[in-house]
Amino acid sequence: MRRIAKLARRYWVVTLTLGVGVVGIVLALAGAGWLVQWIFSVYALAFALWQAVGMVRAMARGRFGLDILAITAIVATVLVGEYVAALIVVLMLTGGDALEDYANRRAKRELDALLTRAPQLAHRVVDGGYEEVPVDQVIVGDRLLVRPSEIVPVDGVLLSEHATFDQASITGESIPVEKSPGDEVLSGSVNGHEAVEMRAASTAASSQYQQIVALVAQAAESKAPVVRLADRYAVPFTVFSLALAALAWWLSGEAVRFAEVLVLATPCPLLIAAPVAFIGGMSRSARNSIIVKSGGVLEQLARARTAVFDKTGTLTYGAPALTAVRPEPPFGADELLTTVASAEQYSSHVLAASFIRAARDRGLPLHEAASAQEAATNGVVAEIGGREVVVGKFAFVAEHAPDARRTTIAPGELAVYVAIGGRYAGALLASDRLRDDAVTTLHELAALGVTNTMMLTGDARETAEHIASELGIAAVRAECLPADKVAEVAGIAERPVIMVGDGVNDAPVLAAADVGIAMGAKGATAASESADAVILVDDVYGVARAVRIGADTVRIALQSIWLGIIVSVVLMVIAAFGFIPATAGALIQELVDLATILAALRAIGGRLDAREAERGGTAPAAVAPAG
């Protein structure tokens, strides 16, 4: 009962119209039929006047819509004495608005899911216990308590001995992740069954989850291109409907025919179908870990013909991995890797983590250094087991080991040289690996009509061309500065153009492209802020999925619009010959509205995603609330 009362208050115009109808029925049963006609007619004309004021305001802003049909239908039915039909038309229009709003709320559930679960409070550790503070009052360095099943309020570092977090809403990883002391804890993750303590590493505003929430809020508030899509058909549909109604009146000599045709020409299908479809498409995107900032982006994605990719971190993982160990006698491969990994514990270089991980994967023990010093941009010098260990660039190592010599490397590889105890000990080779789904993504894009692909990167030409050849990308531009990328995208003829990147240096070209897509959910980066869509998980296949969702959304929107137009035209033609009375026509049009909304709701895409999964497509990563 409470739910019904809430709906009645939310859609008060529908409630008022139904109330007028109930009053009319009571008066008719009491024998006051003449009063019913006056009440229905005055109410309908008042509603028409209200609609007319809104229409004039819209026309003053340069927008011509379909309101004139609804207003004309109401006035015509009142003038020919079909006052019951007039009230039904009013109910149809107000009910259509209510159905649209309800459908939009239904379609936006995945978008709202992230917004409603954003943490509001944090438990800060103070002397003698804990205090609850608003999450925006947490500062870097605060010690926080996260209770069982609570959402982590800010990005931080784990202090407790052990913890398990559900990161499904952030990374799409469905399996809970084990964490150890010192590990990064992402805001938005859901704690396991034990209370843990962490140290805040970011404020709420700069934490990952809050940035994602900001993107979702922007998407939820954006206006889809549905009005433009519907308005394309507004003028011809209006002219056709008025002409057919006038022709029916002229041929029959009965003014009631004019009203009978127009009650079936009311524009609810056109006004409702596209908005519901585009909101549904945005909802489907959110469910698939893609935040689309406006409905217009979906329309551009559906029409895209060219896709341009950054290389590092987009088509590749952006973290070079060890590919070969080349020791020089008398050193062995395991000894060389152990020594390098031990020294790299004291380095901040991007390769350090890769070498340490490779040693641990092979079960090799790491040793502590008696001393260690990093030489910026060159390498690291450490004393391990009484010997000097030098790791880094060839020239830097050669200064400590005159017998050092260069090793051969393949395109896309880089070499790290090693000296131990003043002797050249060998080299380690590393390369940035292609993403597992990069080739699949390009094939899927081609199947969706995005037939032109290009790579823009700041990396060396040899490395870029090597990666491009593995992917089958013919157009490559290497050693690009951000301004060069913008110029290249601006010069592409096959448009619309999608640009996919992940770094701050990609922000200008993401903003300049027809559709900029940022990778990896780095919500605080300039890339995400300037992009039109953000893929929340580290998955390049999300680009192909975004294009497919855009294409499905536009297709369903157009199908729903044409369903409404065709059914309405057929019914109008029948009514023109006098086979559908005005009251019956108004009731039938309600069914047309309902069918249009149901057709548009297919854009939410539950069945479409299930069908893709059955075909073997990459399974979508959920962003719905976890835990």
Side-chain angles (χ1 to χ4, degrees):
M1 195 66 186
R2 185 177 300 174
R3 178 178 175 82
I4 294 174
K6 183 178 179 181
L7 289 173
R9 288 193 302 272
R10 177 182 297 164
Y11 306 118
W12 63 270
V13 182
V14 178
T15 305
L16 178 60
T17 305
L18 289 172
V20 171
V22 170
V23 170
I25 293 172
V26 171
L27 290 174
L29 293 175
W34 62 272
L35 186 56
V36 174
Q37 180 173 355
W38 276 101
I39 292 174
F40 283 14
S41 298
V42 169
Y43 179 74
L45 290 174
F47 180 82
L49 179 62
W50 180 32
Q51 290 286 99
V53 171
M55 179 184 71
V56 171
R57 288 176 177 171
M59 292 176 69
R61 294 193 297 267
R63 281 189 49 215
F64 178 80
L66 293 151
D67 306 283
I68 191 170
L69 279 179
I71 296 168
T72 306
I74 293 171
V75 174
T77 48
V78 170
L79 292 178
V80 298
E82 294 285 352
Y83 54 90
V84 175
L87 187 69
I88 293 175
V89 171
V90 172
L91 180 62
M92 177 175 57
L93 292 170
T94 57
D97 290 340
L99 285 171
E100 179 188 352
D101 181 77
Y102 183 82
N104 284 347
R105 290 172 184 269
R106 161 72 176 85
K108 286 166 60 178
R109 285 191 308 186
E110 281 78 16
L111 290 175
D112 293 337
L114 283 170
L115 298 175
T116 55
R117 67 190 295 272
Q120 304 297 322
L121 296 172
H123 312 294
R124 184 160 56 194
V125 179
V126 295
D127 293 337
Y130 306 96
E131 65 174 355
E132 279 196 351
V133 296
V135 69
D136 56 3
Q137 291 184 13
V138 174
I139 61 175
V140 175
D142 277 352
R143 191 176 179 124
L144 305 175
L145 171 72
V146 184
R147 293 170 178 162
S149 301
E150 277 191 340
I151 298 173
V152 177
V154 297
D155 294 343
V157 176
L158 183 66
L159 299 176
S160 298
E161 287 300 316
H162 175 79
T164 302
F165 293 94
D166 183 345
Q167 299 183 165
S169 62
I170 302 298
T171 65
E173 175 59 58
S174 59
I175 301 174
V177 178
E178 304 285 335
K179 297 283 186 180
S180 301
D183 286 348
E184 179 187 28
V185 181
L186 298 176
S187 60
S189 304
V190 179
N191 187 23
H193 301 297
E194 296 182 8
V196 298
E197 288 191 357
M198 57 173 278
R199 183 175 63 254
S202 301
T203 62
S206 58
S207 290
Q208 177 144 299
Y209 190 78
Q210 294 292 342
Q211 292 294 327
I212 294 173
V213 166
L215 293 174
V216 176
Q218 183 178 345
E221 293 170 1
S222 68
K223 187 173 179 60
V226 262
V227 174
R228 294 200 308 271
L229 200 60
D231 284 351
R232 294 175 192 172
Y233 307 93
V235 173
F237 186 72
T238 299
V239 172
F240 172 81
S241 301
L242 291 173
L244 181 61
L247 181 63
W249 182 3
W250 179 65
L251 291 176
S252 67
E254 299 175 4
V256 71
R257 291 288 177 84
F258 184 83
E260 289 172 348
V261 171
L262 285 189
V263 294
L264 288 161
T266 47
C268 286
L270 283 181
L271 295 175
I272 294 172
V276 171
F278 274 86
I279 292 295
M282 292 171 67
S283 174
R284 181 185 174 192
S285 298
R287 190 174 64 248
N288 284 275
S289 301
I290 305 164
I291 299 300
V292 176
K293 295 185 180 180
S294 75
V297 174
L298 291 174
E299 194 170 15
Q300 290 281 65
L301 285 169
R303 297 168 46 235
R305 292 296 172 263
T306 300
V308 182
F309 293 88
D310 176 46
K311 182 183 78 69
T312 306
T314 302
L315 294 172
T316 66
Y317 284 102
L322 180 69
T323 57
V325 180
R326 294 179 179 174
E328 285 289 320
F331 302 100
D334 285 353
E335 180 186 6
L336 183 63
L337 179 56
T338 298
T339 304
V340 170
S342 299
E344 290 287 8
Q345 292 180 104
Y346 307 95
S347 172
S348 59
H349 193 272
V350 66
L351 286 171
S354 299
F355 293 153
I356 294 169
R357 183 168 55 251
R360 286 174 174 167
D361 289 346
R362 299 186 187 188
L364 302 176
L366 302 186
H367 308 298
E368 290 188 9
S371 63
Q373 182 177 4
E374 186 169 21
T377 75
N378 284 309
V380 62
V381 179
E383 183 182 341
I384 300 175
R387 298 182 297 179
E388 182 188 61
V389 177
V390 183
V391 182
K393 293 180 177 178
F394 175 78
F396 180 63
V397 172
E399 293 176 0
H400 297 79
D403 61 333
R405 62 179 183 273
R406 292 185 182 274
T407 189
T408 57
I409 60 174
E413 284 186 324
L414 55 87
V416 175
Y417 295 88
V418 188
I420 300 177
R423 297 181 58 184
Y424 177 56
L428 276 63
L429 271 58
S431 67
D432 194 1
R433 294 184 300 116
L434 273 179
R435 288 183 180 271
D436 296 335
D437 49 5
V439 174
T440 304
T441 298
L442 295 178
H443 288 166
E444 181 72 9
L445 287 173
L448 291 166
V450 187
T451 53
N452 302 301
T453 54
M454 183 179 186
M455 180 193 293
L456 295 179
T457 179
D459 282 358
R461 177 168 297 279
E462 286 187 359
T463 301
E465 290 180 347
H466 171 70
I467 295 294
S469 65
E470 290 190 55
L471 292 168
I473 297 177
V476 182
R477 175 76 188 276
E479 301 174 6
C480 290
L481 296 173
D484 298 327
K485 292 183 178 183
V486 172
E488 286 289 332
V489 167
I492 295 174
E494 294 289 332
R495 309 191 81 88
V497 175
I498 299 171
M499 175 68 206
V500 188
D502 75 320
V504 173
N505 65 320
D506 294 321
V509 70
L510 289 175
D514 298 312
V515 179
I517 299 180
M519 286 280 299
K522 302 298 184 185
T525 67
S528 293
E529 292 171 359
S530 62
D532 301 296
V534 181
I535 299 174
L536 299 180
V537 293
D538 202 21
D539 177 13
V540 73
Y541 188 78
V543 177
R545 184 176 292 116
V547 173
R548 179 174 293 282
I549 290 173
D552 286 344
T553 300
V554 171
R555 173 178 55 81
I556 289 170
L558 290 173
Q559 285 177 350
S560 303
I561 287 173
W562 278 108
L563 171 67
I565 288 176
I566 291 171
V567 173
S568 294
V569 167
V570 170
L571 291 172
M572 282 191 289
V573 171
I574 295 173
F577 289 95
F579 294 113
I580 304 178
T583 301
L587 291 171
I588 291 171
Q589 189 63 22
E590 288 280 8
L591 299 178
V592 176
D593 294 348
L594 182 59
T596 302
I597 290 173
L598 292 176
L601 279 173
R602 292 178 298 140
I604 295 174
R607 292 184 179 180
L608 293 171
D609 286 337
R611 200 175 304 150
E612 181 182 354
E614 289 175 2
R615 288 200 309 265
T618 305
V623 295

